[in-house]
Amino acid sequence: RGAVFVACYSGAIVRADLDRGVQQRFRPHDNAVKALRLHPDKPVGVSCSADGVLASWTFDGEPLRRFPGHTAIIDDVDLDPSGRYVASTGRDFHLKIYRLDDGTLLHSIELGRRSPKALLFLDERTVIVANYWGELLRIDLDGSRMQRRTIARNGISAVTRADASGEHLLASSYDG
């Protein structure tokens, strides 16, 4: 509570306290940290980087695990609402789903040759991926079924829930 985690282009993650400022710096990556997410219940974070590394760590900066499998820049990472699964996507055009606790790769889904940019676990079985082509991809992990919908003329830089139910999403695009 009261802590802020900041991803840095240097490969570092900075932990700051809203009242006391910077408390700690740790370096889970050798290159730019592209995104990070915090576990909903445990003092654990996950981050991805331009060096193709997906890593988990404690809030104290202790490394927990590296998740192998990506072959290029990883642009985004998310944890499912239960905190059991990690999703990542990047410039190797794949969505990868891992178990957080043991690092087991559960899914590796090819997304086509359009670079993904952002992702969101809607629930444990559904992931939304946004790409640089203005598309949202809805991926059903039970059957690896994918639906595409173009919603912008340019890339979508972020996607998130608009409400707690997950019924509505917010997306921001480069074309405004």
Side-chain angles (χ1 to χ4, degrees), residues 22-37:
V22 173
Q23 298 298 301
Q24 180 182 21
R25 288 181 178 85
F26 55 98
R27 212 177 149 86
H29 301 283
D30 293 330
N31 210 314
V33 180
K34 300 290 283 177
L36 65 83
R37 296 294 184 275

Side-chain angles (χ1 to χ4, degrees), residues 43-62:
V44 171
V46 293
S47 54
C48 62
S49 66
D51 56 12
V53 171
L54 177 63
S56 62
W57 33 267
T58 69
F59 283 6
D60 292 326
E62 294 298 319

